[in-house]
Amino acid sequence: MGKTLIHKILEAHLVAGRMAPGQEIGIRIDQTLTQDATGTTAFLLFESMGVPRVRTDLSVSYVDHNMAGFGPENHNDHLYLQTVAAKSGVYHSRAGNGICHQVHLERFGKPGATLLGSDSHTPTGGGIGMVAIGAGGLDVAVAMAGGPFYLTCPKVLGVKLTGRLSDWVAAKDVILKLLSILSTKGNVGWAVEYFGPGARTLSVPQRATITNMGAELGVTTSLFGSDEQTRAFLIAQRRQKDYLPLQADADSEYDRVIEIDLSQLEPLAACPSSPDNVKTVREIAGTKVGQVAIGSCTNSSYTDLMMVAQVLKGRRVHPMVELGISPGSREVLNMLARNGALADLIAAGARILESGCGPCIGQGFSPADDVVSLRTFNRNFAGRTGTKGDRAYLVSPETAVVAALTGEITDPRDLSERRGIAFPTIEMPGEFHIDDSMIEPPLDEAQARKAEVLRGRTIVVPEAPPALQKKLDGQVLLKCGDKITTDHIMPAGTFLKLRSNVPEYAKVVFNCFNEPGSPTFAERALALKSKGIAGIIVAGESYGQGSSREHAALCPMYLGVRAVIAKTIERIHRANLINFCIVPIRFADPADYDRLEAGDALVIDDLIGAVRNAQTVRVARPSDGFQFVGNLELSSRDREVLLTAGLLSYTREKAHA
Ligand code: MIC
Ligand code: SF4
């Protein structure tokens, strides 16, 4: 039987394990990317591994998240990242150069290569035919040091695309459609491969929108084959040498196939507050909109923003709508400036925001209370905009720009009919305006040896996890429900600048569950820690959805959390827990979840023994003698990592073995 493209690329990079779905495999990583919000920790951990230069083909450090610069923290991080990159053999994309995924796609993405990024939307690279995977910063640091990346060999879902997108229907609608079918939970262990005649009609930026938001499905990665569209994009980026035609074998079989006819799709929206709460735009048409934000790594390519500019040309933004546009990269912004589209946006009344993540991660542009905000982004988790009780909808740039004109949610096809606005077909340029002057190459080895790394006072080296204890004497600090995201665990927004200082950032762990006047999660956790009692988190399904931020493991670990007992745990977060020596346990019988309460004292008699060689663990509640079984589901490497107190000490031990 032939092979899927994902399996072919993984197999070509295989260094450990056997290529069979469900089995743990180790793969060689060709490229890494880090961004500033996860990158400082990743580089601090990399430095502590004692490997002077990265051992990948290419590593790039981006600054795109923390750019507002209130106080010295952001700039301290930037200077650290710039100097540590130069010394370690890493390219550095400076603040202002754009969002990591957009810039990486434009300037570095390579069909057939593997990319590991400390950001969950790294699979954007799947749009150019690479196996691009999001992971915690420590996993990326290990890959930078030349270590393999371990993952479960995924089952492959084939999404067969037929037909062609109609006017005003966008790539975003394809992935929203898939989210409506598959939801954000239950997809761990899968990867998605798009194929079929419809796939060939989509440009690389359109494909990248789709693979980007595969992160919201919770799959390991998503990708398209590499074909004439890929070649055209690479030629336009003056990188034709990186082109490699790639497809699945003709007789390959997918573990499951879903067919989507692009011609049948219509404009869709993910309603508050989950990317899978999808409705047709017509169903929610008429809802008043007060804010529209166009940008993010999902939808701020040149073609997206040119379409927006053409629709706005000669028109005015609705007086009750605030429109913000953050171009995905300096390349995009530069091209809009040069061809006059930027002037059209400004004339229409758009606020031009910096090229970076900006509003997507709550760095300003929060909506007013009760105001509907339409966003072309990928996540609308409650509160992510920075406003408590927010009402954020995720839509395509087409749907977003039309609402900016009408002041209400409007199916763009209807407006086009009513107001005679023709759909602006934007051709991919034959040549992009290329200027890599804000991507700094690393120093050569001789210069690097002498170079100084600037480590500002707000950058604190994270504490190492303690070793597992034989007996876990713990208490349930929090019992939470289903679909707890890493934004719930570790809020971003105004707290994002604390990423390089774990003791400070840890103060806001589970901030959204803190009640005014009561002790915070962090205070309760530290009180237990001081008594030598382990913190335990009990959760429902799909715990740790969303971002790759390892702070959602690192900060709870710092507060003394030693185990998470959940119905299911998402892939990246589960790996982060293990990396920081927190034991992930799955209820063998999900009904036991109902029998636990916050405050319960729980005991595991021989945790080390179980982690060493058992599939399950028995958890007891001494107060009433209740006992239940938890599944460990650990690979042999996971066991070793936990038994050596986390991935950093495991990696150090291996290096000296
Ligand atoms: C996000 O979109 O949530 C982020 C911010 O890009 C995160 C990374 C982070 O928390 O720094 C992600 O997607 O992994
Ligand atoms: Fe940045 Fe938003 Fe993309 Fe995360 S999802 S990388 S915050 S633009």
Side-chain angles (χ1 to χ4, degrees):
M1 193 177 78
K3 294 185 181 121
T4 63
L5 181 53
I6 291 180
H7 279 179
K8 285 207 278 192
I9 299 177
L10 286 175
E11 194 164 26
H13 290 81
L14 193 71
V15 292
R18 197 167 55 82
M19 283 295 302
Q23 296 291 311
E24 186 176 69
I25 53 172
I27 56 165
R28 181 169 42 80
I29 294 297
D30 300 324
Q31 302 187 348
T32 65
L33 73 76
T34 46
Q35 41 88 338
D36 53 317
T38 53
T40 41
T41 327
F43 274 96
L44 289 169
L45 295 167
F46 173 76
E47 283 188 289
S48 69
M49 287 173 196
V51 177
R53 305 276 288 182
V54 292
R55 293 179 179 151
T56 48
D57 295 348
L58 172 89
S59 288
V60 190
S61 159
Y62 293 89
V63 175
D64 52 4
H65 282 62
N66 265 321
M67 313 241 290
F70 290 112
E73 292 88 347
N74 293 177
H75 200 198
N76 280 346
D77 286 353
H78 302 175
L79 291 173
Y80 168 63
L81 289 170
Q82 185 171 11
T83 50
V84 77
K87 195 175 174 72
S88 320
V90 173
Y91 285 79
H92 179 74
S93 172
R94 300 185 59 185
N97 197 47
I99 307 174
C100 55
H101 309 302
Q102 173 72 24
V103 178
H104 206 87
L105 189 77
E106 291 167 352
R107 306 305 305 139
F108 301 110
K110 217 172 155 175
T114 51
L115 165 69
L116 193 72
S118 63
D119 191 284
S120 64
H121 290 105
T122 303
T124 313
I128 205 162
M130 69 195 312
V131 165
I133 303 177
L138 182 48
D139 277 319
V140 178
V142 169
M144 289 196 289
F149 174 63
Y150 289 85
L151 71 157
T152 306
C153 179
K155 286 186 271 185
V156 183
L157 165 69
V159 177
K160 181 173 184 189
L161 300 177
T162 59
R164 178 179 280 279
L165 290 173
S166 324
D167 288 354
W168 302 106
V169 181
K172 182 65 156 279
D173 300 310
V174 179
I175 185 65
L176 288 175
K177 177 74 189 172
L178 201 58
L179 276 155
S180 76
I181 300 170
L182 295 173
S183 89
T184 57
K185 61 181 172 68
N187 305 314
V188 173
W190 286 84
V192 184
E193 187 164 312
Y194 294 86
F195 68 103
R200 288 197 287 276
T201 68
L202 300 172
S203 67
V204 166
Q206 286 175 310
R207 295 173 181 184
T209 293
I210 296 172
T211 58
N212 168 285
M213 225 178 147
E216 277 48 73
L217 296 166
V219 295
T220 306
T221 191
S222 305
L223 104 168
F224 280 79
S226 167
D227 55 13
E228 284 308 304
Q229 297 273 5
T230 324
R231 200 163 79 94
F233 181 79
L234 284 168
I235 290 174
Q237 289 289 349
R238 268 194 251 139
R239 296 203 289 123
Q240 185 167 4
K241 63 174 185 1
D242 289 335
Y243 177 61
L244 182 69
L246 287 172
Q247 293 297 336
D249 291 337
D251 57 345
S252 66
E253 272 181 30
Y254 294 100
D255 295 289
R256 180 184 170 192
V257 174
I258 291 179
E259 189 166 329
I260 297 179
D261 180 353
L262 299 178
S263 356
Q264 295 298 314
L265 280 182
E266 56 179 311
L268 297 171
C271 302
S273 294
S274 178
D276 60 3
N277 187 14
V278 176
K279 296 207 165 92
T280 65
V281 170
R282 277 204 178 127
E283 276 176 273
I284 52 173
T287 309
K288 290 273 170 280
V289 172
Q291 194 191 56
V292 175
I294 298 178
S296 90
C297 55
T298 317
N299 272 131
S300 55
S301 63
Y302 171 79
T303 35
D304 279 342
L305 297 193
M306 278 307 291
M307 182 280 302
V308 169
Q310 299 261 308
V311 173
L312 290 180
K313 191 179 168 86
R315 301 189 172 90
R316 296 279 314 157
V317 170
H318 188 278
M320 292 309 288
V321 175
E322 191 180 37
L323 169 65
I325 299 180
S326 24
S329 67
R330 179 163 162 270
E331 179 178 282
V332 171
L333 180 56
N334 228 330
M335 288 178 73
L336 300 180
R338 284 165 176 263
N339 70 14
L342 185 60
D344 296 330
L345 296 173
I346 295 170
R351 285 175 58 185
I352 307 302
L353 310 176
E354 203 173 359
S355 216
C357 299
C360 177
I361 191 57
Q363 294 293 291
F365 210 72
S366 303
D369 293 314
D370 301 323
V371 153
V372 165
S373 179
L374 241 57
R375 304 183 151 219
T376 64
F377 308 163
N378 45 40
R379 292 187 173 140
N380 58 347
F381 304 146
R384 186 171 159 103
T385 62
T387 299
K388 220 177 163 147
D390 54 9
R391 296 166 65 198
Y393 291 69
L394 306 175
V395 295
S396 67
E398 284 77 353
T399 301
V401 67
V402 159
L405 289 175
T406 61
E408 55 186 49
I409 296 181
T410 310
D411 186 314
R413 295 168 304 175
D414 297 341
L415 183 87
S416 146
E417 246 175 54
R418 274 207 312 272
R419 303 238 310 241
I421 302 179
F423 177 68
T425 306
I426 309 294
E427 295 297 335
M428 264 252 303
E431 183 154 0
F432 288 93
H433 177 77
I434 291 152
D435 169 3
D436 289 334
S437 58
M438 282 182 73
I439 302 177
E440 292 184 348
L443 298 171
D444 66 35
E445 280 185 49
Q447 289 170 316
R449 267 195 292 278
K450 289 180 269 158
E452 191 198 348
V453 173
L454 298 175
R455 225 174 265 104
R457 69 178 164 81
T458 53
I459 298 172
V460 177
V461 179
E463 228 175 64
L468 281 189
Q469 288 197 322
K470 181 168 162 48
K471 180 174 176 197
L472 182 114
D473 242 320
Q475 196 183 101
V476 179
L477 274 166
L478 181 78
K479 181 180 177 185
C480 44
D482 292 343
K483 288 190 178 181
I484 294 297
T485 71
T486 51
D487 280 41
H488 290 110
I489 308 171
M490 272 335 303
T494 48
F495 301 114
L496 199 62
K497 68 176 188 177
L498 302 176
R499 282 290 176 87
S500 319
N501 187 341
V502 169
E504 274 308 303
Y505 196 30
K507 290 181 181 160
V508 293
V509 171
F510 284 118
N511 200 35
C512 59
F513 296 129
N514 289 335
E515 302 279 355
S518 305
T520 62
F521 178 93
E523 287 163 348
R524 292 187 293 114
L526 286 175
L528 283 190
K529 187 181 174 189
S530 69
K531 293 186 212 149
I533 301 174
I536 298 175
I537 293 162
V538 169
E541 278 190 57
S542 195
Y543 181 73
Q545 277 194 0
S547 85
S548 67
R549 63 192 69 154
E550 63 194 336
H551 295 78
L554 182 50
C555 293
M557 178 281 286
Y558 171 81
L559 296 177
V561 172
R562 301 285 172 254
V564 170
I565 311 177
K567 290 185 186 168
T568 54
I569 306 178
E570 291 295 311
R571 174 186 69 87
I572 305 180
H573 186 58
R574 186 174 181 281
N576 285 336
L577 290 175
I578 294 172
N579 289 352
F580 291 99
C581 208
I582 298 179
V583 184
I585 300 173
R586 203 162 65 78
F587 286 105
D589 177 0
D592 289 332
Y593 166 87
D594 299 322
R595 303 185 59 182
L596 295 182
E597 290 305 332
D600 284 356
L602 299 178
V603 172
I604 299 176
D605 266 332
D606 184 9
L607 183 62
I608 293 193
V611 166
R612 184 165 290 132
N613 50 29
Q615 304 301 330
T616 59
V617 69
R618 185 162 288 280
V619 188
R621 181 167 58 195
S623 62
D624 63 354
F626 168 60
Q627 295 204 350
F628 65 95
V629 176
N631 291 336
L632 286 173
E633 294 160 346
L634 299 168
S635 69
S636 51
R637 179 177 170 277
D638 292 339
R639 292 179 196 277
E640 281 183 53
V641 170
L642 285 169
L643 292 168
T644 27
L647 183 60
L648 187 58
S649 36
Y650 169 85
T651 308
R652 284 204 198 111
E653 262 189 29
K654 282 260 159 187
H656 296 120

CSV table of all heavy atoms in Angstrom, one decimal, residues 514-544:
chain,number,residue,atom,x,y,z
A,514,ASN,N,-10.0,32.8,39.9
A,514,ASN,CA,-9.8,33.5,41.2
A,514,ASN,C,-11.0,34.4,41.5
A,514,ASN,O,-11.5,35.1,40.6
A,514,ASN,CB,-8.5,34.3,41.2
A,514,ASN,CG,-7.3,33.4,41.2
A,514,ASN,OD1,-7.3,32.3,41.6
A,514,ASN,ND2,-6.1,33.9,40.7
A,515,GLU,N,-11.4,34.4,42.7
A,515,GLU,CA,-12.5,35.2,43.1
A,515,GLU,C,-12.0,36.4,44.0
A,515,GLU,O,-11.2,36.1,44.8
A,515,GLU,CB,-13.5,34.4,44.1
A,515,GLU,CG,-14.1,33.2,43.5
A,515,GLU,CD,-15.3,33.5,42.6
A,515,GLU,OE1,-15.7,34.6,42.5
A,515,GLU,OE2,-15.8,32.5,41.9
A,516,PRO,N,-12.5,37.6,43.7
A,516,PRO,CA,-12.0,38.7,44.5
A,516,PRO,C,-12.2,38.4,46.0
A,516,PRO,O,-13.3,37.9,46.4
A,516,PRO,CB,-12.8,39.9,44.0
A,516,PRO,CG,-13.6,39.5,42.8
A,516,PRO,CD,-13.5,38.0,42.7
A,517,GLY,N,-11.2,38.7,46.8
A,517,GLY,CA,-11.4,38.6,48.3
A,517,GLY,C,-11.0,37.2,48.8
A,517,GLY,O,-10.9,37.0,50.0
A,518,SER,N,-10.9,36.2,47.9
A,518,SER,CA,-10.5,34.8,48.3
A,518,SER,C,-9.0,34.6,47.9
A,518,SER,O,-8.5,35.3,46.9
A,518,SER,CB,-11.3,33.8,47.6
A,518,SER,OG,-12.7,34.0,47.9
A,519,PRO,N,-8.3,33.7,48.6
A,519,PRO,CA,-6.9,33.4,48.2
A,519,PRO,C,-6.9,33.0,46.7
A,519,PRO,O,-7.8,32.2,46.3
A,519,PRO,CB,-6.5,32.3,49.1
A,519,PRO,CG,-7.5,32.2,50.1
A,519,PRO,CD,-8.8,32.9,49.7
A,520,THR,N,-5.9,33.4,46.0
A,520,THR,CA,-5.7,33.0,44.6
A,520,THR,C,-5.3,31.5,44.5
A,520,THR,O,-4.8,31.0,45.5
A,520,THR,CB,-4.7,33.9,43.9
A,520,THR,OG1,-3.4,33.6,44.5
A,520,THR,CG2,-5.0,35.3,43.9
A,521,PHE,N,-5.4,31.0,43.3
A,521,PHE,CA,-4.8,29.6,43.1
A,521,PHE,C,-3.4,29.6,43.5
A,521,PHE,O,-3.0,28.6,44.2
A,521,PHE,CB,-5.0,29.3,41.6
A,521,PHE,CG,-4.4,27.9,41.2
A,521,PHE,CD1,-5.2,26.8,41.2
A,521,PHE,CD2,-3.1,27.7,40.9
A,521,PHE,CE1,-4.7,25.5,40.9
A,521,PHE,CE2,-2.5,26.5,40.6
A,521,PHE,CZ,-3.4,25.4,40.6
A,522,ALA,N,-2.6,30.6,43.1
A,522,ALA,CA,-1.2,30.6,43.4
A,522,ALA,C,-0.9,30.6,44.9
A,522,ALA,O,-0.1,29.9,45.4
A,522,ALA,CB,-0.5,31.8,42.7
A,523,GLU,N,-1.7,31.4,45.6
A,523,GLU,CA,-1.5,31.5,47.1
A,523,GLU,C,-1.9,30.1,47.7
A,523,GLU,O,-1.1,29.6,48.6
A,523,GLU,CB,-2.4,32.6,47.7
A,523,GLU,CG,-1.8,34.0,47.3
A,523,GLU,CD,-2.8,35.1,47.5
A,523,GLU,OE1,-4.1,34.9,47.7
A,523,GLU,OE2,-2.4,36.3,47.4
A,524,ARG,N,-2.9,29.5,47.3
A,524,ARG,CA,-3.3,28.2,47.9
A,524,ARG,C,-2.3,27.2,47.6
A,524,ARG,O,-1.9,26.4,48.4
A,524,ARG,CB,-4.7,27.8,47.4
A,524,ARG,CG,-5.8,28.7,47.8
A,524,ARG,CD,-7.2,28.2,47.5
A,524,ARG,NE,-7.4,28.2,46.1
A,524,ARG,CZ,-7.6,27.2,45.3
A,524,ARG,NH1,-7.5,26.0,45.8
A,524,ARG,NH2,-7.8,27.3,44.0
A,525,ALA,N,-1.8,27.2,46.3
A,525,ALA,CA,-0.8,26.2,45.9
A,525,ALA,C,0.5,26.4,46.7
A,525,ALA,O,1.1,25.4,47.2
A,525,ALA,CB,-0.5,26.4,44.4
A,526,LEU,N,1.0,27.6,46.9
A,526,LEU,CA,2.2,27.8,47.6
A,526,LEU,C,2.1,27.4,49.1
A,526,LEU,O,3.0,26.9,49.7
A,526,LEU,CB,2.7,29.3,47.4
A,526,LEU,CG,3.3,29.6,46.1
A,526,LEU,CD1,3.6,31.1,46.0
A,526,LEU,CD2,4.5,28.8,45.8
A,527,ALA,N,0.9,27.7,49.6
A,527,ALA,CA,0.6,27.3,51.0
A,527,ALA,C,0.8,25.7,51.2
A,527,ALA,O,1.4,25.2,52.1
A,527,ALA,CB,-0.7,27.7,51.5
A,528,LEU,N,0.2,25.0,50.2
A,528,LEU,CA,0.4,23.5,50.2
A,528,LEU,C,1.8,23.1,50.1
A,528,LEU,O,2.4,22.3,50.8
A,528,LEU,CB,-0.4,22.9,49.1
A,528,LEU,CG,-1.9,22.7,49.2
A,528,LEU,CD1,-2.4,21.8,48.1
A,528,LEU,CD2,-2.3,22.1,50.5
A,529,LYS,N,2.5,23.8,49.1
A,529,LYS,CA,3.9,23.5,48.8
A,529,LYS,C,4.7,23.6,50.0
A,529,LYS,O,5.6,22.8,50.3
A,529,LYS,CB,4.4,24.4,47.6
A,529,LYS,CG,5.7,24.0,47.1
A,529,LYS,CD,6.2,25.0,46.0
A,529,LYS,CE,7.6,24.7,45.6
A,529,LYS,NZ,8.1,25.7,44.7
A,530,SER,N,4.5,24.7,50.8
A,530,SER,CA,5.3,24.9,52.0
A,530,SER,C,5.1,23.8,53.0
A,530,SER,O,5.9,23.6,53.9
A,530,SER,CB,5.0,26.3,52.6
A,530,SER,OG,3.7,26.3,53.1
A,531,LYS,N,4.0,23.1,52.9
A,531,LYS,CA,3.8,22.0,53.9
A,531,LYS,C,4.2,20.6,53.3
A,531,LYS,O,3.9,19.6,53.8
A,531,LYS,CB,2.3,21.9,54.2
A,531,LYS,CG,1.7,23.1,55.0
A,531,LYS,CD,0.3,22.8,55.4
A,531,LYS,CE,-0.5,24.0,55.4
A,531,LYS,NZ,-1.9,23.9,55.1
A,532,GLY,N,4.8,20.7,52.1
A,532,GLY,CA,5.2,19.4,51.4
A,532,GLY,C,4.1,18.6,50.8
A,532,GLY,O,4.2,17.5,50.5
A,533,ILE,N,2.9,19.3,50.6
A,533,ILE,CA,1.8,18.6,50.0
A,533,ILE,C,1.8,18.9,48.5
A,533,ILE,O,1.9,20.1,48.1
A,533,ILE,CB,0.5,19.0,50.6
A,533,ILE,CG1,0.5,18.7,52.1
A,533,ILE,CG2,-0.7,18.3,49.9
A,533,ILE,CD1,-0.7,19.1,52.9
A,534,ALA,N,1.6,17.9,47.6
A,534,ALA,CA,1.6,18.1,46.2
A,534,ALA,C,0.3,18.7,45.7
A,534,ALA,O,-0.8,18.2,46.2
A,534,ALA,CB,1.9,16.8,45.5
A,535,GLY,N,0.3,19.6,44.8
A,535,GLY,CA,-0.9,20.1,44.2
A,535,GLY,C,-1.4,19.2,43.1
A,535,GLY,O,-0.5,18.6,42.3
A,536,ILE,N,-2.7,19.0,43.0
A,536,ILE,CA,-3.2,18.2,41.9
A,536,ILE,C,-4.3,19.0,41.2
A,536,ILE,O,-5.1,19.7,41.9
A,536,ILE,CB,-3.8,16.9,42.5
A,536,ILE,CG1,-2.7,16.1,43.2
A,536,ILE,CG2,-4.5,16.0,41.4
A,536,ILE,CD1,-3.2,14.8,43.9
A,537,ILE,N,-4.4,18.9,39.9
A,537,ILE,CA,-5.5,19.5,39.1
A,537,ILE,C,-6.4,18.4,38.6
A,537,ILE,O,-5.8,17.4,38.0
A,537,ILE,CB,-4.9,20.4,38.0
A,537,ILE,CG1,-4.2,21.6,38.6
A,537,ILE,CG2,-6.0,20.9,37.1
A,537,ILE,CD1,-3.2,22.2,37.7
A,538,VAL,N,-7.7,18.5,38.8
A,538,VAL,CA,-8.6,17.6,38.2
A,538,VAL,C,-9.4,18.3,37.1
A,538,VAL,O,-9.8,19.4,37.3
A,538,VAL,CB,-9.6,17.1,39.3
A,538,VAL,CG1,-10.7,16.3,38.7
A,538,VAL,CG2,-8.8,16.2,40.3
A,539,ALA,N,-9.4,17.6,35.9
A,539,ALA,CA,-10.1,18.3,34.8
A,539,ALA,C,-10.9,17.3,34.0
A,539,ALA,O,-10.7,16.1,34.1
A,539,ALA,CB,-9.0,18.9,33.9
A,540,GLY,N,-11.7,17.9,33.1
A,540,GLY,CA,-12.6,17.1,32.2
A,540,GLY,C,-11.9,16.8,30.9
A,540,GLY,O,-10.7,16.4,30.9
A,541,GLU,N,-12.6,16.9,29.8
A,541,GLU,CA,-12.1,16.5,28.6
A,541,GLU,C,-11.3,17.6,27.9
A,541,GLU,O,-11.6,18.8,28.1
A,541,GLU,CB,-13.2,16.2,27.6
A,541,GLU,CG,-13.8,14.8,27.8
A,541,GLU,CD,-14.7,14.4,26.7
A,541,GLU,OE1,-14.3,14.4,25.6
A,541,GLU,OE2,-15.8,14.0,27.1
A,542,SER,N,-10.3,17.2,27.2
A,542,SER,CA,-9.5,18.1,26.3
A,542,SER,C,-8.8,19.2,27.2
A,542,SER,O,-8.8,20.4,26.8
A,542,SER,CB,-10.4,18.7,25.3
A,542,SER,OG,-9.7,19.3,24.3
A,543,TYR,N,-8.2,18.8,28.2
A,543,TYR,CA,-7.5,19.7,29.1
A,543,TYR,C,-6.2,20.2,28.4
A,543,TYR,O,-5.5,19.4,27.8
A,543,TYR,CB,-7.1,19.0,30.4
A,543,TYR,CG,-6.4,20.0,31.4
A,543,TYR,CD1,-7.0,20.9,32.1
A,543,TYR,CD2,-5.0,19.8,31.6
A,543,TYR,CE1,-6.4,21.8,32.9
A,543,TYR,CE2,-4.3,20.6,32.5
A,543,TYR,CZ,-5.0,21.6,33.1
A,543,TYR,OH,-4.4,22.5,34.0
A,544,GLY,N,-6.0,21.5,28.4
A,544,GLY,CA,-4.8,22.1,27.8
A,544,GLY,C,-4.9,22.4,26.3
A,544,GLY,O,-3.9,22.4,25.6
